[in-house]
Amino acid sequence: MGGVDRADQNINAYRISLRTKKWWWPYFAHVLELVMQNAWLLFRRTDAHTAEPLDLLAFRRRIVQVYLMRHGAIAMPRRAARLALPAVHRVPDEVRFDGVGHFAGPSQTTKRCALCKKNTKKLCLKCTVGLHNQCFNAFHGIH
């Protein structure tokens, strides 16, 4: 029972809890929790885990961030923009190099270019990071 107990312990640590009258919601949420738990266990066996070790909570946050940025539900939170991390690390590689929906557009304020660190009035509309026209392709890995 060692593996089942550990999985239940991890699932209960960050369980999705919403009050609803739908009878099927607990079953649906439990399946999502199991998928997340199993994905984290597989991630721990890869080389990516040795390069950037993530605990279960950080792994879940990373997945949510990637899906929200990739599918455009909401922009990246302002709090993340204030972090001391460079833009290369703020934008997950899964979103940065996906090649979908990255367009250069005007910025209402002056921003720092993610690559050359000079001021610019342009930004990537999907990643919301400042980029010059010359730096745009290099940042997104477009040749």
Side-chain angles (χ1 to χ4, degrees), residues 118-131:
K118 295 180 182 175
N119 289 339
T120 181
K121 289 283 240 174
K122 300 263 183 182
L123 63 96
C124 175
L125 297 176
K126 184 174 183 180
C127 301
T128 65
V129 296
L131 291 167

Side-chain angles (χ1 to χ4, degrees), residues 33-57:
E33 299 288 346
L34 282 173
V35 167
M36 190 73 69
Q37 162 71 18
N38 290 335
W40 180 63
L41 290 175
L42 290 173
F43 169 75
R44 287 178 38 191
R45 294 181 181 210
T46 64
D47 293 333
H49 177 68
T50 57
E52 183 185 358
L54 298 174
D55 63 342
L56 181 58
L57 180 60

Side-chain angles (χ1 to χ4, degrees), residues 22-71:
K22 303 292 183 191
W23 64 268
W24 49 267
W25 176 253
Y27 298 111
F28 178 73
H30 188 71
V31 168
L32 290 178
E33 299 288 346
L34 282 173
V35 167
M36 190 73 69
Q37 162 71 18
N38 290 335
W40 180 63
L41 290 175
L42 290 173
F43 169 75
R44 287 178 38 191
R45 294 181 181 210
T46 64
D47 293 333
H49 177 68
T50 57
E52 183 185 358
L54 298 174
D55 63 342
L56 181 58
L57 180 60
F59 181 77
R60 292 169 64 106
R61 286 180 175 166
R62 175 77 177 229
I63 289 175
V64 169
Q65 179 187 24
V66 167
Y67 273 99
L68 288 177
M69 287 183 73
R70 180 174 286 173
H71 300 292

